Amino acid sequence: EAQVTQNPRYLITVTGKKLTVTCSQNMNHEYMSWYRQDPGLGLRQIYYSMNVEVTDKGDVPEGYKVSRKEKRNFPLILESPSPNQTSLYFCASSSLQGFQYEQYFGPGTRLTVT
Amino acid sequence: AQSVTQLGSHVSVSEGALVLLRCNYSSSVPPYLFWYVQYPNQGLQLLLKYTTGATLVKGINGFEAEFKKSETSFHLTKPSAHMSDAAEYFCAVSGGKLIFGQGTELSVKP
């Protein structure tokens, strides 16, 4: 089954404790992206990657890091989480030809930073 | 630059009533327009999209949307709401990347 998976689905952590949210897709997609969803703000792009070893900032990259060492994986790293990073995070993927048309989303990771 | 405005953060309809979710966009280039749906505790799922061609597009679950260039709108409709339609709906525009609206939560009353 074609899918985007994220782990963990729920995470409660404390300020300053480094964490990683994993994202994996099995569709051989070149394009992958991270979004955060906040009430009243919709989804905002954090980082994206057009292919292995190619990443770029989205609209709200501060406080986040990403890496793309393998085509299928695109982890999101919070090296020193703060309470304002409490949010619902989505990973998405698509083909290079399709990233403007249709992206496939993971189920989301709800992060709480206390 | 592209932007999307969804009118109404919450919409409530009765089962069997018309669903109308409003979306207006701004784009400096011919837009690609999308509606995504997010069911509780799930990721986003594409409902329908407009790229070129016919301005009335049909999607899954009986939803459709009409691209009106003169009104810069892409409203989502469904003739008869079902309880299972309760979800959050996002309009999005693409001119190189997806820009999402704020979302509209649809509730359906029995």
Side-chain angles (χ1 to χ4, degrees), chain B residues 5 11 46 62 68 70 99 104:
Chain B
T5 301
V11 171
L46 183 66
K68 292 187 176 180
S70 61
I99 304 295
T104 297

Side-chain angles (χ1 to χ4, degrees), chain A residues 9-10 31 35 37-45 58-59 88 90 99-108, chain B residues 9 32-34 36 38 41-46 49 51 88 90 93-103:
Chain A
R9 294 289 312 278
Y10 303 91
Y31 181 91
Y35 297 88
Q37 181 184 353
D38 300 292
L41 297 177
L43 277 78
R44 295 176 293 167
Q45 191 179 50
D59 298 315
L88 180 58
F90 288 102
F99 79 94
Q100 294 186 77
Y101 311 134
E102 180 171 2
Q103 296 186 20
Y104 297 84
F105 284 81
Chain B
S9 57
Y32 298 145
L33 295 159
F34 310 83
Y36 281 84
Q38 182 182 20
N41 297 315
Q42 296 186 29
L44 277 73
Q45 177 183 2
L46 183 66
K49 63 185 177 187
T51 52
E88 189 155 20
F90 292 92
V93 64
S94 176
K97 67 175 184 178
L98 280 180
I99 304 295
F100 287 87
Q102 305 93 317

Side-chain angles (χ1 to χ4, degrees), chain A:
Chain A
E1 180 191 354
Q3 61 182 345
V4 178
T5 57
Q6 295 179 228
N7 282 292
R9 294 289 312 278
Y10 303 91
L11 179 60
I12 300 174
T13 189
V14 297
T15 299
K17 185 175 181 182
K18 181 179 179 180
L19 66 91
T20 300
V21 183
T22 64
C23 173
S24 183
Q25 50 91 7
N26 63 1
M27 294 169 279
N28 201 36
H29 284 161
E30 296 87 0
Y31 181 91
M32 297 186 74
S33 180
W34 276 103
Y35 297 88
R36 61 177 289 172
Q37 181 184 353
D38 300 292
L41 297 177
L43 277 78
R44 295 176 293 167
Q45 191 179 50
I46 303 171
Y47 269 94
Y48 66 95
S49 169
M50 303 290 273
N51 216 324
V52 176
E53 302 291 1
V54 180
T55 63
D56 209 346
K57 296 177 181 178
D59 298 315
V60 288
E62 293 78 20
Y64 304 96
K65 285 178 59 176
V66 293
S67 68
R68 188 89 181 275
K69 293 181 172 28
E70 304 169 282
K71 196 172 187 179
R72 64 183 291 127
N73 296 323
F74 190 45
L76 179 69
I77 304 157
L78 286 72
E79 295 210 322
S80 184
S82 63
N84 64 10
Q85 293 178 296
T86 292
S87 187
L88 180 58
Y89 292 86
F90 288 102
C91 180
S93 75
S94 74
S95 65
L96 263 186
Q97 296 74 27
F99 79 94
Q100 294 186 77
Y101 311 134
E102 180 171 2
Q103 296 186 20
Y104 297 84
F105 284 81
T109 295
R110 186 167 294 280
L111 172 66
T112 302
V113 184
T114 62

Side-chain angles (χ1 to χ4, degrees), chain B:
Chain B
Q2 285 77 32
S3 67
V4 174
T5 301
Q6 291 182 239
L7 302 175
S9 57
H10 297 273
V11 171
S12 181
V13 301
S14 297
E15 193 171 21
L18 171 72
V19 175
L20 171 60
L21 304 183
R22 300 178 187 270
C23 172
N24 287 90
Y25 71 91
S26 172
S27 178
S28 55
V29 298
Y32 298 145
L33 295 159
F34 310 83
W35 277 98
Y36 281 84
V37 61
Q38 182 182 20
Y39 297 107
N41 297 315
Q42 296 186 29
L44 277 73
Q45 177 183 2
L46 183 66
L47 261 184
L48 50 80
K49 63 185 177 187
Y50 168 79
T51 52
T52 58
T55 56
L56 181 63
V57 293
K58 297 186 184 300
I60 61 173
N61 300 336
F63 284 93
E64 61 183 35
E66 187 170 12
F67 169 58
K68 292 187 176 180
K69 184 179 180 180
S70 61
E71 298 177 9
T72 60
S73 69
F74 191 58
H75 302 331
L76 181 71
T77 61
K78 181 174 181 178
S80 177
H82 191 273
M83 296 294 290
S84 61
D85 294 326
E88 189 155 20
Y89 293 80
F90 292 92
C91 183
V93 64
S94 176
K97 67 175 184 178
L98 280 180
I99 304 295
F100 287 87
Q102 305 93 317
T104 297
E105 185 172 353
L106 175 67
S107 59
V108 182
K109 298 174 291 187

